[in-house]
Amino acid sequence: MVSPVACAQKLLSFFPFLLVLFDLQYEGVACGSNVDVDKHLEMGKKLLAAGQLADALSHFHSAIDGDPDNYLAYYRRATVFLAMGKSKAAIPDLSRVIELKPDFTSARLQRGQLFLKQGKLDEAEEDFRKVLKSNPSDQEEKEATSQLAKSDEIQRMRSQGEAAYDQKDYTTAESLFNIVLETCVWDAEIRELRAECYINQGELGKAITDLKAASKLKSDNTGAFYKVSHIYYELGDHEMSLSEIRECLKLDPDHKDCFAHYKQVKKLNKQIQAAEELILEERYEDAITKYGAVLKTEPNVPFYSALVQERRCHCYSKNQQSNEAIRECTEFLQKEPENVNALKDRAEAYIQEEMYEEAIRDYETAQQHSDDKAIREGLEKAQRLLKQSQKRDYYKILGVKRNAKKQEIIKAYRKLAQQWHPDNFQDEEEKKKAEKKFIDIASAKEVLTDPEKRSRFDAGEDPLDPESQQGGGGAHFHRGWNQWQGFNPFGSGGPFGFKFNFN
């Protein structure tokens, strides 16, 4: 059996050979690694030329993993990032290139241009000056000189714009910031300043565009999300306001201002959605109450006050509370005289009140601003009803409103039938007058207690008038007094076997 000492001595005798073998293997690995890096660079170059950017990027990643000090791999990867529009990712790669090869003027020139777009003017100018000091090509010298002059001009414009902004001269500040942003397209700070100029000039849509861009250009830009949410809130877009404030809280769940605004917007959004659901369910009284709660939640923003009034106008009209609808709609239309929805709702309320000329005026005004089919149909209905009202109006005959229930109609009919029954009159002239009146009363009862006939009458057609029958072929419904003799106004509508004598 071999002792441990003898074994160790034998192993030591082979040590020089093991070292040589290790060296040979290391050289083989290193040589293989360089070959792999070159292959990745070559393949990435071909894929980049073919426009296959994602695949090219993958190869350049592998090349850098294989050789972290290969400046060419970083430069080509930066080129892919730029082609993909990922300028933020390109800058660290270009900086690594310059670190590894300080005289690589193309990389420095490209980085300077990116700094210029970001509004980092001092860093950009430093790169352009170093390009000019590093023995550049004629083209590189020309480009660096041009960019240096541009940066100097932008510095001046920016300073003037900031001064105008501080003096609250927002129009001048905006025009100067416009010039700066033509070059410094990724400057988040200038975009936010221009957004403030837009806000102060009442151009909120443009402010939103700049602030949204700033939120993407600047990491963790909670302030931009907060401002955008507030603007949407003021404009009445509570759903977009809620969406933007949630983005703020994703970046910072403990953001005090964003959380407070989130609670306000969420509550208001929930109340408005609930009110609209009630309207869809035709629960108009409940919807009116819910919109009252909306006004308590947000009494200061004009949009929501107007929204509440416009929706109440709609609910009152649909609920056939015509007087309330006319009052609410009229108050709202004093602020927004061309609001089509309010004009339609008030027109419907006017019809309920038999104010047909007023309804026609509202529909005609609405028609000037919309080609909505419902407006055209409403106008035609109001015109028919106006024409009808100038003839025989069964509602007026019984003295009931157009939204009267069947029981109200029967009650009114019985009272008038008792009052105008011809047997009550002895004088022949008075009897003839009473007969005509009684016929009208009975006709009104016939039409208004029959759902199908009443619906036709409400649409502007007299179902008892042959001339108004569509196609002219309708049956004649006119009745003479003899047909009503023996009719019981207090029964179900059929003849009765005894005669009333009224004292």
Side-chain angles (χ1 to χ4, degrees):
M1 189 174 192
V2 180
S3 67
V5 175
C7 187
Q9 287 175 339
K10 191 171 183 179
L11 185 60
L12 286 170
S13 68
F14 283 102
F15 189 74
F17 170 75
L18 293 172
L19 286 175
V20 172
L21 181 61
F22 178 80
D23 287 340
L24 287 172
Q25 288 177 334
Y26 178 79
E27 288 175 8
V29 170
C31 183
S33 176
N34 286 334
V35 170
D36 287 342
V37 168
D38 289 342
K39 283 182 178 178
H40 283 305
L41 287 173
E42 187 61 29
M43 184 58 71
K45 183 179 177 182
K46 288 179 180 178
L47 290 167
L48 176 59
Q52 299 179 38
L53 302 181
D55 293 333
L57 187 62
S58 179
H59 280 284
F60 292 138
H61 284 326
S62 298
I64 289 168
D65 290 340
D67 184 2
D69 293 330
N70 190 316
Y71 77 90
L72 194 57
Y74 285 105
Y75 185 71
R76 287 182 179 172
R77 187 169 74 172
T79 304
V80 176
F81 280 138
L82 289 172
M84 297 173 81
K86 298 180 178 180
S87 59
K88 285 184 179 179
I91 290 176
D93 275 1
L94 292 172
S95 296
R96 180 64 174 151
V97 172
I98 294 165
E99 180 185 339
L100 293 168
K101 191 172 175 58
D103 62 344
F104 198 159
T105 54
S106 293
R108 196 179 288 279
L109 191 58
Q110 278 192 331
R111 189 177 71 171
Q113 290 169 340
L114 292 176
F115 281 148
L116 193 60
K117 287 184 176 182
Q118 289 182 334
K120 297 178 178 179
L121 302 181
D122 292 338
E123 291 94 325
E125 289 180 8
E126 183 181 353
D127 271 345
F128 297 141
R129 289 194 180 96
K130 285 185 177 179
V131 167
L132 293 173
K133 292 177 182 178
S134 61
N135 194 27
S137 66
D138 291 344
Q139 181 61 36
E140 288 172 338
E141 183 179 5
K142 181 180 178 182
E143 181 67 19
T145 302
S146 171
Q147 295 294 338
L148 198 57
K150 182 184 285 187
S151 179
D152 185 61
E153 177 67 10
I154 290 169
Q155 285 272 29
R156 186 174 63 81
M157 291 286 185
R158 179 172 183 153
S159 297
Q160 290 178 359
E162 289 172 347
Y165 178 83
D166 291 339
Q167 294 168 9
K168 299 184 179 181
D169 183 358
Y170 299 114
T171 303
T172 301
E174 180 217 325
S175 64
L176 290 165
F177 291 149
N178 289 342
I179 297 169
V180 172
L181 286 167
E182 285 175 6
T183 301
C184 306
V185 291
W186 303 328
D187 191 333
E189 184 181 344
I190 294 298
R191 284 197 178 274
E192 289 190 55
L193 285 173
R194 187 171 70 172
E196 289 297 326
C197 293
Y198 285 140
I199 290 170
N200 282 283
Q201 294 178 91
E203 297 185 79
L204 300 182
K206 290 182 178 180
I208 287 173
T209 301
D210 267 352
L211 288 169
K212 283 193 170 184
S215 70
K216 294 177 182 177
L217 292 168
K218 184 178 173 183
S219 300
D220 299 332
N221 196 346
T222 55
F225 284 114
Y226 179 71
K227 287 179 183 177
V228 170
S229 178
H230 253 287
I231 293 172
Y232 276 129
Y233 186 80
E234 295 286 330
L235 290 173
D237 196 339
H238 46 92
E239 291 181 348
M240 281 300 297
S241 177
L242 189 60
S243 174
E244 293 295 325
I245 206 66
R246 280 175 174 154
E247 293 300 318
C248 175
L249 290 173
K250 283 180 186 177
L251 296 174
D252 183 2
D254 299 321
H255 195 291
K256 186 177 178 181
D257 291 337
C258 284
F259 186 68
H261 187 57
Y262 168 74
K263 289 198 297 183
Q264 170 73 4
V265 181
K266 186 180 179 182
K267 181 179 179 181
L268 188 74
N269 187 62
K270 187 176 180 181
Q271 289 175 330
I272 292 173
Q273 287 181 342
E276 289 302 311
E277 286 172 7
L278 290 168
I279 290 173
L280 288 174
E281 295 169 6
E282 299 184 0
R283 294 167 57 189
Y284 299 114
E285 288 284 357
D286 293 336
I288 290 167
T289 302
K290 183 61 72 174
Y291 265 116
V294 169
L295 198 57
K296 288 181 181 178
T297 299
E298 182 47 79
N300 300 318
V301 176
F303 174 88
Y304 298 106
S305 301
L307 173 68
V308 168
Q309 200 164 43
E310 191 266 336
R311 298 312 280 159
R312 279 179 168 177
C313 155
H314 176 73
C315 290
Y316 282 132
S317 180
K318 290 297 181 185
N319 208 38
Q320 297 193 339
Q321 294 173 265
S322 50
N323 289 325
E324 292 87 345
I326 291 168
R327 172 180 51 78
E328 199 81 36
C329 296
T330 300
E331 286 180 14
F332 175 74
L333 286 165
Q334 287 172 352
K335 303 167 191 170
E336 295 186 31
E338 297 175 358
N339 187 288
V340 171
N341 291 328
L343 286 165
K344 283 164 58 180
D345 288 329
R346 188 171 69 175
E348 288 181 19
Y350 278 142
I351 286 176
Q352 292 163 24
E353 288 296 309
E354 301 175 15
M355 300 168 69
Y356 304 122
E357 292 179 353
E358 289 85 347
I360 289 169
R361 279 199 296 271
D362 273 356
Y363 278 128
E364 286 176 341
T365 303
Q367 202 170 42
Q368 293 171 12
H369 306 288
S370 173
D371 58 357
D372 185 359
K373 181 182 177 183
I375 295 172
R376 185 173 65 254
E377 290 174 348
L379 177 59
E380 290 170 357
K381 177 182 175 181
Q383 289 169 338
R384 286 197 305 270
L385 289 170
L386 176 62
K387 187 177 179 181
Q388 183 189 82
S389 70
Q390 293 165 349
K391 295 181 180 178
R392 182 165 59 169
D393 188 330
Y394 295 126
Y395 290 104
K396 285 186 177 179
I397 290 170
L398 294 184
V400 295
K401 290 192 173 183
R402 297 190 79 87
N403 59 356
K405 306 295 183 186
K406 186 174 180 179
Q407 284 304 112
E408 296 177 60
I409 291 168
I410 292 173
K411 183 179 178 181
Y413 161 71
R414 286 175 174 171
K415 181 180 178 181
L416 290 170
Q418 183 179 13
Q419 178 184 345
W420 289 98
H421 196 286
D423 285 355
N424 292 339
F425 302 89
Q426 301 303 319
D427 182 80
E428 283 303 314
E429 287 299 320
E430 288 183 356
K431 187 181 284 289
K432 286 181 180 179
K433 180 180 177 183
E435 287 176 0
K436 184 179 182 304
K437 190 81 172 176
F438 190 86
I439 290 170
D440 285 344
I441 292 166
S443 298
K445 186 256 185 186
E446 178 183 350
V447 171
L448 299 183
T449 56
D450 182 310
E452 188 268 334
K453 290 178 181 176
R454 183 176 182 180
S455 177
R456 287 163 60 191
F457 183 74
D458 286 344
E461 175 190 344
D462 187 346
L464 302 185
D465 183 357
E467 292 181 4
S468 71
Q469 302 302 307
Q470 292 184 354
H476 287 216
F477 289 95
H478 281 303
R479 294 172 170 82
W481 161 240
N482 292 334
Q483 290 175 285
W484 294 106
Q485 281 185 320
F487 183 75
N488 180 4
F490 305 101
S492 60
F496 57 95
F498 56 90
K499 192 172 183 181
F500 282 96
N501 289 307
F502 298 99
N503 296 322

